[in-house]
């Protein structure tokens, strides 16, 4: 399942720090390709990244190096309106 795969990726990041930029870059590429219909995939990846970024300084550096902030902002713009919030006229 996706949850198990993400846990494996997180464990890899925790143990193989010299490839963290490469692995996080791959996760960012997946996030960039997420469409509105696949928003659960994006949420799962974001939750995993959140756990990782809270636990490892090296992951934060890799996140910055791979354009993580721009990716997250772009993703949020893509998913606009998916969160069930009523928009004001």
């Amino acid at each position: 399942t996706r949850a198990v795969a993400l846990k494996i990726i997180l464990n890899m990041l925790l143990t193989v720090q010299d490839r963290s930029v490469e692995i996080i870059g791959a996760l960012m590429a997946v996030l960039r390709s997420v469409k509105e219909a696949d928003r659960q995939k994006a949420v799962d990846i974001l939750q995993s990244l959140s756990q990782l970024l809270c636990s490892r300084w090296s992951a934060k550096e890799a996140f910055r190096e791979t354009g993580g902030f721009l990716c997250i902002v772009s993703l949020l713009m893509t998913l606009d309106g998916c969160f069930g919030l009523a928009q004001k006229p």
Side-chain angles (χ1 to χ4, degrees), residues 1-13 23 27 44-45 48:
T1 66
R2 185 181 307 144
V4 173
L6 286 170
K7 285 184 182 186
I8 291 170
I9 291 170
L10 290 178
N11 285 333
M12 286 174 45
L13 284 167
I23 296 169
L27 287 174
D44 292 342
I45 293 172
S48 296

Side-chain angles (χ1 to χ4, degrees), residues 79-89:
L79 298 176
D80 184 36
C82 294
F83 299 106
L85 299 175
Q87 298 206 2
K88 296 180 181 179

